[in-house]
Amino acid sequence: MGAARDWRRAGAILGIVGVLIVVPAVLTALVPTRETPVTRGTTIRLTAPGRTPDTIEFSGVDGWQQRPTGDRTTAVLDGPNGRILLVSVVNGVTDFDAAAQWRRKVLGAQAFPVREDGGKVANTYGFTGPTCRGETRAGVCAILGNHNLAVSMLLSGTDIDADLQPIVYTLRVTS
């Protein structure tokens, strides 16, 4: 009789633990990600603590939806045609070529593997660097340097003709 009671108690405890694990997971799956619409003329600002300058901003994403990241160094935006834009800034760069190679590896971990495609891009605000493409998925990217900062930009999605240049041209250091 005591063994049957122990099995019932163990079953009840196991059931409670299962509910505590399953219910939050189901609720998380059902609740949509809170996104903020990017209104016309809005700039997105990212800060990588360290040496000055440490802050960059960009625009060109009017009408997109910005996802919360909880990270001041990274922005993720959902755009038209299933596009996703991932922008990250790092500080303390002294060897840009090594930083660009490292940032391509980071993009591979954050999204999907990318390879340098031999292109270069620059803007009037002093950012310059190599361009790259997705190896296993449609996407274009650029790793840009200015002062002690390196910025990686990855635009992915279903549209193979996606163009990062309008966004790259707005990228600038703000502090």
Side-chain angles (χ1 to χ4, degrees):
M1 189 115 156
R5 202 174 318 142
D6 289 343
W7 280 106
R8 279 188 222 141
R9 285 183 185 159
I13 291 171
L14 187 59
I16 291 170
V17 170
V19 167
L20 290 174
I21 292 171
V22 171
V23 169
V26 169
L27 289 176
T28 299
L30 294 175
V31 175
T33 302
R34 187 183 77 233
E35 296 178 337
T36 305
V38 178
T39 57
R40 186 168 187 73
T42 298
T43 56
I44 308 294
R45 182 175 271 203
L46 301 176
T47 301
R51 286 187 27 221
T52 300
D54 64 357
T55 303
I56 57 108
E57 67 182 21
F58 64 93
S59 57
V61 289
D62 297 344
W64 292 42
Q65 300 287 321
Q66 185 173 5
R67 297 182 195 176
T69 64
D71 180 1
R72 297 180 330 167
T73 66
T74 302
V76 178
L77 296 107
D78 293 315
N81 301 321
R83 293 178 183 169
I84 298 172
L85 175 66
L86 171 65
V87 180
S88 295
V89 61
V90 294
N91 197 337
V93 174
T94 56
D95 179 349
F96 179 73
D97 292 334
Q101 186 176 26
W102 173 68
R103 293 306 303 166
R104 279 190 296 279
K105 288 179 184 177
V106 170
L107 285 174
Q110 290 177 321
F112 48 83
V114 299
R115 63 174 165 69
E116 196 169 342
D117 63 8
K120 296 278 184 198
V121 67
N123 71 16
T124 58
Y125 299 109
F127 278 96
T128 185
T131 58
C132 45
R133 295 207 167 270
E135 287 184 359
T136 59
R137 294 188 185 168
V140 293
C141 52
I143 313 296
L144 304 155
N146 191 345
H147 300 287
N148 51 296
L149 300 174
V151 177
S152 57
M153 292 185 157
L154 173 70
L155 181 58
S156 68
T158 57
D159 186 354
I160 294 177
D161 295 325
D163 187 7
L164 255 180
Q165 288 188 355
I167 300 165
V168 168
Y169 290 153
T170 69
L171 180 64
R172 65 186 182 127
V173 173
T174 62
S175 66

